[in-house]
Amino acid sequence: MAETQTQPLGAYAADAVRAASEARGEPGWLAEKRQEAARAFEALPMPTQRSRPWKYTDVSGLSIAAHPPEASFLPVVAVPEGGVPAGGYAGSLADALQDERLAAVVEQHLGALIPATEGKFIAANASQWTGGVFVHAARGKAFEAPVTVGVTAQAGAVFPRMLIVAEAASDVTVLVRCSSGDADVLASGVVEIVAGADSNVRVVFDVGWGAATRDFLSLRARTDRGANVQVATLAIGGALVKHTLEGILEGEGSTGRFRGVALGDKDQHFDFVTLQNHIGRKTLSDVQIKAALAGGSRSIYYGVTRVEETAAGAAAEQENRNLLLSGDAKADSDPVLEILTNEVIRCGHGATVGPVDEEALFYLQSRGLDRRQSLKLLVSGFFRSVLDDIADEALLEEVTASVERKLEVARL
Amino acid sequence: MSEPILELRGLKASITEQPDIQLLKGLDLTIRPGEIHALMGPNGSGKSTLANTIAGSPSYTVDEGQVLLKGEDITEAPADERARKGVFLSFQYPTPIPGVTMVNLMREALKARRGAEVPAREFLQELRETLASLKMSEDMARRYVNEGFSGGEKKRAEILQMGLLKPDLAILDETDSGLDVDALRTVAEGVQALRRPDMGVLIITHYERILSYIEPDYVHVLVKGQIVKSGGFSLAKEIEAGGYDPILKELGLLEGATA
């Protein structure tokens, strides 16, 4: 119910937020921003199921303020062996603020793509994030290997925050690994990606949360001319995972590729929302969300591909596939196209929800594989088209192994 | 005489979802080691139903009778158990399995058949040899199972699996259908090369032409779920020359025939 109304704000109160910011020695502009965000948090209602992106995810019983921010929460940034290319940066936002040049870049971009006032979860993040992650690729420079970010939560609320600024013709990959224990955890993350002209930015989330973690992530990328942004979420763990992935395809010929994979069991709840906004000419978007659901798990997909009048020559693909591995699993899918120009190259969308193909199952069983082995093979095959896009071999092996382990005991 | 590989005793089977439609109406058949049997019959006579029932397809339910494999009753066994015990079905329409490579499938299948991990080196060696006897390239093994395969590739891929799994009983369900003469020869020669001497083979076909490459010891004619006539290779030639009507007429089974 309206629990948030009666819940004391505590650490979430505007004064407390400002004081904490000052105690951390943050610059005045940031303390100011945080305080504004805290006021927005107090003023904004929790999303209700009347709002389309929240139609199937009921958070009315959830109180953010009842989850005290985890004091020790700090994302750990590991820089690749070759180091950060000259002029760039990969580390905490807090450290970046100590450097005048970096602080200027942060000030320019932090909260610009995703303003704190957009929603309650975002406002909570904007007022509360600690540590933070800042990845900055300098003009024309490429990171030799992925930057790895470890996000580990203990209990209470955590607020992962990441800002990626890729200058023109730069190249960077960021791997985010999320984990937590069995305690009740609320994670509210915000990721902003500023992709400069002809840059390549890849972000992968390895969602390995514990069984009682609820994860709400908002990610938005803005692409300059010719930029390529690729985002993938691999959701295996967590009680509730709601990822909102948005691409603002502004620059001519820029591309946004968004991938989501979920493997559910028990009463896991996955909710993917995507928004591809084609603004520039010849922009290209490609969304592929796939869920395989065992036990009583559930997946929801709501995606909007919007092609503005200015986006002549745009091409968009939007695909959502759901494989129901048990009779109790459930999936809802709603891909939407809004096309405001006559000059699209192609614009496709597709959604399926259905059980395993019995003929394929019999085929595999006729080769000596028992039912569970056959289903494991079918699920890994089902995920393959999405996973093939993830270039990182080690991560791919890890994810494949987690899928195997999970299917070994899942209720099929 | 050696123990039969396969014995069907008074087999009756119907469609699982429509139990009142019985497609096999009392079938007896015995296949001994090394024997090649051909099962011929007009469309809708129950040939594919028989193939799938022996392999344990859940689409069909045995109402009566028994399926014995090397003396063991497997009538109630699930498909995977039958396969591990040595039954192999080469499908008429092999199903595509997106995202699963041939290599991956064959590795898992061979492990299941042998009941033990197969060392990578040994597996690759056997795979290469088997590919070679079917004149298949190694690229084929890296493709997704039956996905985007031509008719000939699908059938060769089935025989490839037969060659690797070394079953005791191979059922070739219309392996010749949809193949041109050259593809048919390659597949048939592949079967011959990969057939173990003690393997029992049941070839299900419309036409005699595959039998000129793989000469059967016995030919059976299936009509409306029953074997109405059995004989040697000459029976297949008879059918090739005159179709099924003369046989049906002889047996008084020709519908609509006026005396």
Side-chain angles (χ1 to χ4, degrees):
Chain A
M1 290 293 130
E3 198 188 337
T4 43
Q5 300 296 313
T6 53
Q7 182 73 37
L9 284 169
Y12 292 88
D15 293 349
V17 165
R18 181 164 197 120
S21 175
E22 282 165 358
R24 283 192 294 264
E26 289 174 355
W29 63 265
L30 184 54
E32 193 61 41
K33 272 195 158 189
R34 284 185 184 277
Q35 195 176 10
E36 274 170 39
R39 288 200 194 98
F41 174 74
E42 194 178 347
L44 286 165
M46 275 299 260
T48 69
Q49 289 175 277
R50 281 192 300 276
S51 151
R52 183 58 192 82
W54 294 86
K55 186 172 172 186
Y56 297 104
T57 298
D58 179 7
V59 288
S60 61
L62 174 70
S63 162
I64 298 173
H67 293 74
E70 185 188 310
S72 57
F73 176 72
L74 207 65
V76 178
V77 182
V79 172
E81 235 169 75
V84 174
Y89 176 84
S92 76
L93 270 169
D95 289 347
L97 291 170
Q98 305 300 314
D99 177 293
E100 204 178 314
R101 187 183 57 88
L102 292 173
V105 182
V106 172
E107 184 177 359
Q108 185 192 344
H109 294 290
L110 190 72
L113 272 178
I114 307 185
T117 48
E118 256 187 40
K120 192 143 185 114
F121 286 93
I122 292 163
N125 178 290
S127 66
Q128 294 291 339
W129 64 267
T130 47
V133 178
F134 180 45
V135 177
H136 183 206
R139 176 179 290 266
K141 294 289 197 305
F143 280 71
E144 278 171 31
V147 173
T148 314
V149 179
V151 175
T152 308
Q154 309 296 334
V158 295
F159 298 96
R161 180 93 196 191
M162 180 157 73
L163 172 64
I164 300 173
V165 178
E167 288 184 10
S170 64
D171 189 306
V172 65
T173 299
V174 181
L175 260 177
V176 183
R177 294 169 193 276
C178 309
S179 62
S180 56
D182 295 331
D184 174 21
V185 169
L186 173 67
S188 172
V190 173
V191 176
E192 293 165 295
I193 301 168
V194 182
D198 300 314
S199 65
N200 282 301
V201 181
R202 286 163 298 268
V203 181
V204 180
F205 296 93
D206 178 6
V207 183
W209 297 120
T213 295
R214 285 173 285 185
D215 173 21
F216 302 85
L217 174 82
S218 289
L219 175 147
R220 193 170 293 159
R222 195 187 66 216
T223 56
D224 206 338
R225 180 179 42 79
N228 284 300
V229 171
Q230 184 168 330
V231 176
T233 284
L234 312 170
I236 309 273
L240 187 163
V241 176
K242 182 175 174 70
H243 282 193
T244 303
L245 312 173
E246 300 180 28
I248 302 175
L249 306 172
E250 226 171 57
E252 178 168 343
S254 62
T255 302
R257 277 181 223 283
F258 292 78
R259 301 282 181 262
V261 159
L263 175 58
D265 190 22
K266 299 185 176 137
D267 51 4
Q268 279 184 294
H269 181 111
F270 300 100
D271 183 342
F272 290 105
V273 177
T274 64
L275 171 65
Q276 311 314 310
N277 200 4
H278 291 255
I279 296 167
R281 291 165 54 83
K282 296 179 184 166
T283 44
L284 197 143
S285 74
D286 180 8
V287 179
Q288 232 186 84
I289 307 286
K290 289 191 166 188
L293 305 163
S297 64
R298 170 151 205 210
S299 96
I300 292 123
Y301 173 65
Y302 171 58
V304 179
T305 297
R306 193 178 156 85
V307 183
E308 304 277 359
E309 274 173 73
T310 49
E317 283 297 332
Q318 197 182 353
E319 191 187 331
N320 174 229
R321 308 265 172 242
N322 296 282
L323 188 59
L324 306 178
L325 301 172
S326 97
D328 296 330
K330 205 177 160 203
D332 289 283
S333 181
D334 188 6
V336 179
L337 287 176
E338 290 174 6
I339 303 171
L340 308 173
T341 169
N342 294 323
E343 297 171 69
V344 289
I345 300 299
R346 69 188 145 76
C347 220
H349 66 164
T352 56
V353 177
V356 170
D357 176 3
E358 286 297 327
E359 274 182 43
L361 197 57
F362 173 55
Y363 187 85
L364 295 178
Q365 287 184 275
S366 81
R367 298 306 184 240
L369 278 62
D370 66 28
R371 192 181 146 80
R372 189 172 288 272
Q373 280 175 299
S374 302
L375 286 172
K376 273 159 72 171
L377 212 53
L378 286 176
V379 170
S380 64
F382 173 71
F383 284 156
R384 180 106 182 201
S385 67
V386 170
L387 297 182
D388 273 354
D389 283 349
I390 292 152
D392 193 85
E393 259 322 302
L395 176 71
L396 199 56
E397 258 173 51
E398 233 174 84
V399 170
T400 310
S402 327
V403 168
E404 280 273 311
R405 273 198 306 277
K406 190 156 180 179
L407 286 171
E408 201 59 60
V409 294
R411 183 159 65 82
L412 302 173
Chain B
M1 244 183 179
S2 52
E3 186 185 44
I5 296 279
L6 178 77
E7 246 187 295
L8 304 179
R9 292 181 185 163
L11 192 67
K12 294 184 181 176
S14 52
I15 298 175
T16 303
E17 306 249 301
Q18 293 164 281
D20 49 330
I21 303 181
Q22 195 174 66
L23 298 174
L24 302 180
K25 297 173 179 171
L27 235 139
D28 294 287
L29 180 68
T30 301
I31 301 180
R32 291 176 198 284
E35 288 179 355
I36 297 177
H37 290 240
L39 187 74
M40 302 180 76
N43 272 333
S45 58
K47 300 189 300 291
S48 275
T49 301
L50 178 63
N52 281 281
T53 303
I54 298 171
S57 164
S59 300
Y60 303 101
T61 300
V62 173
D63 304 318
E64 248 184 84
Q66 284 173 300
V67 181
L68 282 83
L69 184 72
K70 294 174 280 178
E72 187 188 345
D73 188 341
I74 58 162
T75 317
E76 300 297 327
D80 53 292
E81 191 185 321
R82 296 178 197 218
R84 291 193 295 274
K85 287 187 164 140
V87 176
F88 180 85
L89 171 63
S90 168
F91 282 73
Q92 183 181 359
Y93 303 111
T95 316
I97 317 273
V100 177
T101 61
M102 288 291 297
V103 173
N104 199 350
L105 168 64
M106 289 186 288
R107 188 96 202 259
E108 293 290 322
L110 195 57
K111 192 170 99 182
R113 170 87 170 112
R114 294 196 186 166
E117 204 68 55
V118 186
R121 185 188 288 258
E122 186 188 328
F123 170 73
L124 286 176
Q125 174 74 19
E126 287 189 30
L127 177 60
R128 285 208 183 98
E129 287 170 11
T130 318
L131 281 165
S133 38
L134 285 158
K135 299 183 179 129
M136 290 168 87
S137 78
E138 289 187 23
D139 293 346
M140 182 82 182
R142 283 190 285 272
R143 288 168 64 185
Y144 294 153
V145 178
N146 300 322
E147 206 170 60
F149 285 18
S150 69
E153 283 173 335
K154 278 186 186 168
K155 299 302 169 80
R156 267 193 274 180
E158 293 291 286
I159 301 308
L160 172 70
Q161 295 172 60
M162 182 196 86
L164 269 176
L165 296 174
K166 301 187 170 47
D168 299 303
L169 172 72
I171 307 161
L172 310 183
D173 187 5
E174 305 219 9
T175 296
D176 51 347
S177 70
L179 299 187
D180 61 31
V181 179
D182 291 332
L184 175 63
R185 185 187 302 120
T186 311
V187 170
E189 285 171 1
V191 172
Q192 288 293 40
L194 295 169
R195 183 165 68 91
R196 294 188 309 169
D198 55 349
M199 194 167 101
V201 180
L202 179 61
I203 300 174
I204 290 171
T205 182
H206 265 298
Y207 307 106
E208 177 266 352
R209 52 180 203 156
I210 190 173
L211 304 179
S212 55
Y213 296 101
I214 314 169
E215 193 174 316
D217 302 300
Y218 301 93
V219 174
H220 311 279
V221 179
L222 188 71
V223 177
K224 291 183 185 165
Q226 282 181 309
I227 290 177
V228 296
K229 190 168 184 175
S230 296
F233 189 25
S234 59
L235 179 55
K237 288 185 170 155
E238 235 176 81
I239 293 167
E240 181 71 5
Y244 292 101
D245 283 4
I247 298 168
L248 298 179
K249 205 166 177 182
E250 173 197 323
L251 296 166
L253 291 167
L254 196 62
E255 265 174 28
T258 46

